[in-house]
Amino acid sequence: MQPWSTVPFPTVPGSGPPLRLYDTATGEIRPTAPGPTARMYVCGITPYDATHLGHAATYLAFDLVNRVWRDAGHDVRYVQNVTDIDEPLLERAIRDQDDWVVLGMRETALFREDMESLRVLPPAHYIGAVEAMSEISALVDKLLAAGAAYRIDDPEYPDVYYDSAATAEFGYESRYDEATMLALSAERGGDPDRPGKRHPVDALLWRMARPDEPSWDSELGRGRPGWHVECTAIALNRLGAQIDVQGGGSDLIFPHHEFGAAHAEAHTGEHPFARHYCHAGMIALDGEKMSKSKGNLVFVSRLRADGVDPMAIRLALLSGHWRSDRSWLPELLTSANARLAAWREAVRLDAGPPAGDTVARLRTHLADDLDTPRALAAVDAWTREATTRRGTDPTAPALLRNAVDALLGIAL
Ligand code: 5CA
Ligand code: ZN
């Protein structure tokens, strides 16, 4: 698929400390250590109700990872998928008497527009499950041949499942106990109660064609892929056996990223698949996680249509810490608008107080597990000084504007 258009990325003199991020698998904030090319895979949307503010917050967090790495001189090879065939998409299409292909295309188009308006740097590869069908089935076929997968004992639908005992490390990513794994598997698309599996938690890799369901020819027989292996195949084929960051919201910790890692490791023999597993907190509305199934959604496109400046949406979402579960409140937008206006006024001055220290602070806070609340406070402090006490450095406003643009993605 076509990603969205590229976003300008100004160069800012100097450099900051290496990026440290919280890693779910180890429970620690650890330095990232990418080579000249950093590799990042971030799970994309299932395109049936895009883009709500929860999605946006998650993609903004990984956009900051991208920006901090780029600022440090790395090339970033960023891959994102679109789950354009899966149970929830089909269910929604049936409910609304919509064509699942049209629904997916429409919501993906909207998502792209939203990402561009929020100035999210586009991925180098933006790949739909449907267009990756043959590489996904090829990976399932290899897992089957390697003994890491099996066909369920069901004469009518001999679906293929991943054997969670295939790698010794299974469970290391989420570190959940079995009861939690089973509960989350039932809640998030798994089928722990299906008879004939080697272990109830084992995840679907290939679903044989059912009447009235879309299906594709493959070496496994006609069918369609399970969810986790979609991301594994797309990531492995574009990023290789080990990546720097696997990203998504915290609802992907299990089963999605646990199985994604296990599939990759069973196939390549390399452990760990990702050096960091990073999970953004959930955005809630009225005390409940914003989710398509609950329908308590605020859409980026709705706010934009109502005339809200996308930079204010971006700033409002960045005002909370990326890992904390937090509520969306209209007041966040009010304060973001005020902040944006103040920053804009300050960078339009002919001169200001020297901005070098502020830029250094911005870099230090972002490198410290994306501490945006403190990063924003550093810009606030410079802004206050610039507008109240003024300053004499004619290069300061432009330096600050460029740093805010490159590091926070906010165009002033
Ligand atoms: N297509 C799969 C990933 S392969 C999927 O989870 N799609 S999604 O559309 O449901 O979610 C897209 C991304 O937004 C995921 O990373 C998910 O964790 C994140 N997300 C969903 N709801 C929220 C929320 N309320 N707050 C923060 N992030 C969210
Ligand atoms: Zn995914």
Side-chain angles (χ1 to χ4, degrees):
M1 290 187 177
Q2 274 295 111
W4 52 98
S5 302
T6 184
V7 174
F9 186 83
T11 336
V12 182
S15 61
L19 174 62
R20 299 162 72 245
L21 287 174
Y22 181 86
D23 167 34
T24 303
T26 54
E28 289 168 359
I29 296 177
R30 299 173 25 242
T32 60
T37 301
R39 290 155 211 276
M40 175 161 72
Y41 185 90
V42 177
C43 284
I45 54 162
T46 305
Y48 64 93
D49 245 349
T51 312
H52 64 62
L53 290 173
H55 298 139
T58 290
Y59 295 108
L60 286 176
F62 294 100
D63 187 51
L64 295 183
V65 173
N66 194 343
R67 286 171 181 277
V68 173
W69 276 341
R70 284 205 195 193
D71 178 57
H74 297 284
D75 274 335
V76 181
R77 191 182 294 188
Y78 176 18
V79 179
Q80 190 180 127
N81 69 308
V82 183
T83 308
D84 57 359
I85 177 69
D86 200 16
E87 222 55 53
L89 179 73
L90 292 176
E91 280 166 15
R92 176 57 63 93
I94 291 165
R95 190 198 80 177
D96 296 352
Q97 297 183 308
D98 216 341
D99 179 320
W100 65 272
V101 177
V102 176
L103 173 63
M105 284 170 61
R106 190 174 64 227
E107 295 299 315
T108 305
L110 199 54
F111 175 75
R112 282 200 201 93
E113 276 174 34
D114 290 336
M115 289 297 107
E116 197 169 327
S117 78
L118 292 172
R119 301 182 91 246
V120 173
L121 299 168
H125 300 274
Y126 191 49
I127 310 289
V130 171
E131 66 183 328
M133 199 51 73
S134 56
E135 52 182 289
I136 302 170
S137 65
L139 176 59
V140 175
D141 196 41
K142 286 188 181 127
L143 289 169
L144 202 51
Y150 59 95
R151 281 195 188 265
I152 200 164
D153 185 15
D154 177 333
E156 199 180 7
Y157 298 120
D159 299 334
V160 182
Y161 278 77
Y162 179 77
D163 185 342
S164 51
T167 58
E169 295 83 5
F170 184 81
Y172 79 90
E173 184 266 345
S174 64
R175 296 177 289 132
Y176 291 155
D177 60 23
E178 193 170 302
T180 309
M181 286 187 184
L182 288 172
L184 289 177
S185 158
E187 209 176 288
R188 297 174 179 164
D191 53 4
D193 297 329
R194 185 164 181 197
K197 289 161 66 170
R198 288 185 189 163
H199 190 287
V201 85
D202 291 354
L204 179 74
L205 288 171
W206 192 258
R207 176 177 165 92
M208 303 302 285
R210 311 294 202 261
D212 305 324
E213 279 187 14
S215 56
W216 287 262
D217 277 325
S218 82
E219 54 278 71
L220 302 152
R222 232 184 135 72
R224 65 180 161 95
W227 170 33
H228 321 307
V229 71
E230 162 196 341
C231 286
T232 313
I234 293 173
L236 283 179
N237 290 334
R238 285 156 194 84
L239 297 171
Q242 278 202 315
I243 67 176
D244 293 291
V245 163
Q246 158 80 79
S250 61
D251 56 349
L252 299 187
I253 294 175
F254 192 90
H256 191 51
H257 288 168
E258 191 75 68
F259 276 98
H263 298 342
E265 293 169 22
H267 176 60
T268 66
E270 300 243 14
H271 170 83
F273 166 56
R275 296 191 179 98
H276 275 76
Y277 294 91
C278 296
H279 295 104
M282 290 290 116
I283 303 293
L285 186 70
D286 304 326
E288 280 222 74
K289 174 195 160 188
M290 228 179 246
S291 78
K292 294 182 266 215
S293 42
K294 294 204 190 79
N296 58 340
L297 307 176
V298 179
F299 293 104
V300 172
S301 51
R302 178 75 255 162
L303 294 175
R304 286 167 51 218
D306 291 345
V308 176
D309 184 335
M311 292 299 94
I313 305 174
R314 184 167 175 123
L315 210 40
L317 290 170
L318 294 183
S319 67
H321 192 274
W322 73 287
R323 279 195 292 117
S324 62
D325 292 340
R326 54 206 195 274
S327 280
W328 173 258
L329 302 163
E331 297 89 281
L332 288 174
L333 213 44
T334 315
S335 17
N337 270 315
R339 187 173 237 159
L340 197 56
W343 290 9
R344 284 185 170 146
E345 187 193 334
V347 300
R348 276 168 182 65
L349 295 168
D350 293 333
D357 277 0
T358 307
V359 173
R361 233 170 284 152
L362 196 53
R363 281 183 165 130
T364 303
H365 295 319
L366 288 176
D368 180 14
D369 195 27
L370 308 177
D371 190 345
T372 52
R374 293 176 76 192
L376 302 195
V379 179
D380 287 340
W382 181 87
T383 299
R384 260 194 313 274
E385 178 137 349
T387 39
T388 53
R389 299 214 298 219
R390 305 282 154 166
T392 54
D393 182 347
T395 64
L399 173 61
L400 199 87
R401 181 199 278 123
N402 280 344
V404 166
D405 184 345
L407 293 161
L408 294 172
I410 304 278
L412 293 177

